[in-house]
Amino acid sequence: MIEIIFQTGREACSLYQHITRQMPGLPADGRILLHEGRNSITILTSSLLEKDFQHIRKGFYEFILIHKREDFFRLILAERFYYTEAEEQEQILEIIHSVLEGKREELQSFLSGPDESQLIKAAIDEIMEGNISFSFDSFARFRLKPFFDKLYTYAEIAIDEYKMEQEYQVFIQTLRGFLSGRAPVKDHLHVLVVDDETVFYDEHYHELKRSELFRMIDRKLLVNHPVYVDSVTIAPLLSIAPSSIYLYSDQPDQPLVRTIQNIFEERVIVRAEPDFRKQKIQAN
């Protein structure tokens, strides 16, 4: 017999549902019993076949991964990193889920070792041996420690990303404030961004030389924000403060293009790089 004890009847009921979803006929034959009043589940193991144990393990695994993992992440954020505000937790959790779903390839190199599914399954296999009565909280604290350590790593990486994103937003807001109320030095600019090179053109598609752009830079911008402001692209754009920026790029999702869009917002019109060649030929 295996008895699993929870803090609440709701938790016991959730695990019961996950297991019985794997074994639709199990509740009727009395081999698994839900005791909501005692906040526990009893699994009568004597009449179970190996395939039954496989179904139970799968249900237990899904309960941890689907039902409890989010709770574990919130616990880690609150108790280990002191992020107790719901809004902050939600933003960090959003980053965590994007990492788990493989949407942040640049962060995958920081994750190594066995994946979380292996760690959960190993812990479940250990606990399913023989007759035992245990509390789920103790199981989570001791048997799932390697799994918790993995979640901690995810949380740590996500928090670093969260802090960087917060700093980036402050940076964007500061530069928008610098831009606000500035009179345009030129009404329109055409900016060609290809690979790592940025080239500026005026409204007649005449190239603005780097020396000319440098003379236009407002020195207060570099003094007040020396670390964050790119003196090659961002500083000239902020100093010129054009009413409209026609931005041509073969990679419209690259960070520089996104940063220009975030600062200048509706002033930016993004176009494909070949459009610049066509427009320049027509203008000349």
Side-chain angles (χ1 to χ4, degrees):
M1 182 186 77
I2 298 174
E3 183 180 31
I4 309 171
I5 305 163
F6 294 86
Q7 289 283 348
T8 68
R10 181 179 64 84
E11 294 288 284
C13 186
S14 179
L15 176 57
Y16 178 82
Q17 290 170 351
H18 277 285
I19 292 176
T20 54
R21 245 196 307 271
Q22 300 298 322
M23 306 171 71
L26 190 58
D29 62 23
R31 288 182 292 167
I32 180 168
L33 303 171
L34 170 64
H35 311 289
E36 290 189 77
R38 300 207 310 263
N39 305 335
S40 68
I41 288 176
T42 301
I43 302 170
L44 303 178
T45 58
S46 59
S47 58
L48 292 175
L49 301 174
E50 179 55 35
K51 66 176 183 178
D52 297 325
F53 275 109
Q54 291 176 4
H55 290 311
I56 290 169
R57 289 186 182 99
K58 186 174 181 182
F60 200 3
Y61 167 79
E62 288 183 352
F63 167 75
I64 294 170
L65 196 65
I66 297 171
H67 183 81
K68 291 298 297 180
R69 186 174 64 178
E70 196 87 348
D71 293 341
F72 292 155
F73 272 130
R74 291 184 189 278
L75 187 68
I76 290 169
L77 292 177
E79 294 191 354
R80 296 199 185 183
F81 295 102
Y82 308 106
Y83 286 97
T84 56
E85 296 291 331
E87 184 177 347
E88 283 187 316
Q89 286 191 357
E90 289 300 328
Q91 292 181 49
I92 297 169
L93 283 168
E94 186 177 332
I95 297 172
I96 289 173
H97 288 304
S98 69
V99 173
L100 291 171
E101 293 164 10
K103 294 179 181 177
R104 301 213 178 198
E105 294 181 6
E106 71 279 9
L107 301 179
Q108 296 304 310
S109 61
F110 296 102
L111 303 171
S112 59
D115 64 33
E116 54 185 15
S117 64
Q118 292 175 303
L119 297 173
I120 296 172
K121 289 172 181 176
I124 293 172
D125 286 343
E126 286 179 16
I127 210 71
M128 286 292 171
E129 295 296 331
N131 296 323
I132 189 171
S133 175
F134 64 93
S135 76
F136 180 79
D137 284 355
S138 295
F139 169 77
R141 187 178 302 112
F142 298 110
R143 303 277 185 165
L144 286 179
K145 187 179 182 302
F147 173 60
F148 264 89
D149 291 341
K150 191 74 173 182
L151 299 188
Y152 179 90
T153 301
Y154 281 119
E156 200 170 35
I157 292 170
I159 286 168
D160 287 342
E161 283 295 296
Y162 172 71
K163 289 178 178 177
M164 289 175 60
E165 289 179 8
Q166 292 296 103
E167 290 175 2
Y168 178 76
Q169 291 304 319
V170 170
F171 161 68
I172 294 296
Q173 290 298 332
T174 301
L175 297 189
R176 285 177 184 169
F178 179 88
L179 185 63
S180 178
R182 286 183 68 87
V185 176
K186 292 182 179 294
D187 284 330
H188 309 292
L189 276 184
H190 297 272
V191 181
L192 181 63
V193 180
V194 179
D195 296 325
D196 295 326
E197 185 180 5
T198 305
V199 186
F200 286 66
Y201 297 84
D202 64 17
E203 63 271 23
H204 304 297
Y205 292 90
H206 297 147
E207 182 178 347
L208 299 174
K209 299 300 182 184
R210 189 60 56 193
S211 57
E212 183 180 356
L213 291 170
F214 187 74
R215 287 194 298 271
M216 293 181 183
I217 294 176
D218 188 328
R219 295 297 175 260
K220 290 184 294 184
L221 188 61
L222 298 181
V223 170
N224 294 334
H225 312 285
V227 177
Y228 299 106
V229 177
D230 164 24
S231 61
V232 174
T233 304
I234 303 298
L237 281 175
L238 285 165
S239 302
I240 297 170
S243 301
S244 58
I245 301 170
Y246 294 90
L247 187 60
Y248 305 87
S249 177
D250 56 355
Q251 294 178 301
D253 292 329
Q254 66 174 289
L256 177 58
V257 173
R258 291 202 308 269
T259 295
I260 294 171
Q261 287 180 289
N262 287 334
I263 296 170
F264 291 89
E265 300 178 291
E266 70 279 356
R267 301 189 193 196
V268 181
I269 300 95
V270 179
R271 292 177 174 171
E273 186 270 336
D275 290 345
F276 173 79
R277 309 296 177 192
K278 296 176 185 177
Q279 296 292 336
K280 187 178 180 183
I281 291 170
Q282 291 175 3
N284 297 325

